[in-house]
Amino acid sequence: MTIGKYGMMRKTFLKTERKGMYAHLMLTEQLNRHLADIDQTAREQIDRTIQQLLTTHPAPDKTSDPLTWTGHMNNLKQQAEELILTELIYH
């Protein structure tokens, strides 16, 4: 199982803020599975949220203005991450 960015963020949160839950997951050997699930769920939700945001805030044309397109997409990703972090990682 691979644990990406969001799984590692969850691990850090559990270690510092939810020590009991972290210890329980470690002792029952479920920590890696939990982190992998969180990471996968976060990535899927971020992708879905970005697609939803694109319907309400369409991106500019990538070929004619690539820098504006990149900035727009980065802003959408940041908005999606903020929603997911509070909802999924830090609870």
Side-chain angles (χ1 to χ4, degrees), residues 1-34:
M1 283 182 276
T2 58
I3 300 169
K5 171 184 173 181
Y6 305 107
M8 296 305 292
M9 291 171 80
R10 177 69 173 167
K11 182 179 181 180
T12 302
F13 173 75
L14 290 174
K15 270 182 154 177
T16 58
E17 303 295 326
R18 306 270 194 238
K19 294 176 184 174
M21 184 176 181
Y22 178 78
H24 172 73
L25 289 170
M26 283 283 291
L27 292 172
T28 58
E29 298 180 357
Q30 296 176 355
L31 181 63
N32 286 338
R33 184 76 209 143
H34 172 75

Side-chain angles (χ1 to χ4, degrees), residues 4 10-13 16-17 22 36 38 42 44 46-47 51-52 61 63 73 75 80 83 85 89 91:
R10 177 69 173 167
K11 182 179 181 180
T12 302
F13 173 75
T16 58
E17 303 295 326
Y22 178 78
I38 290 289
E44 290 170 357
I46 286 172
D47 289 343
Q51 293 306 314
Q52 290 171 350
D61 185 33
T63 57
M73 294 305 288
N75 285 335
L83 294 170
L85 292 179
I89 307 295
H91 81 280

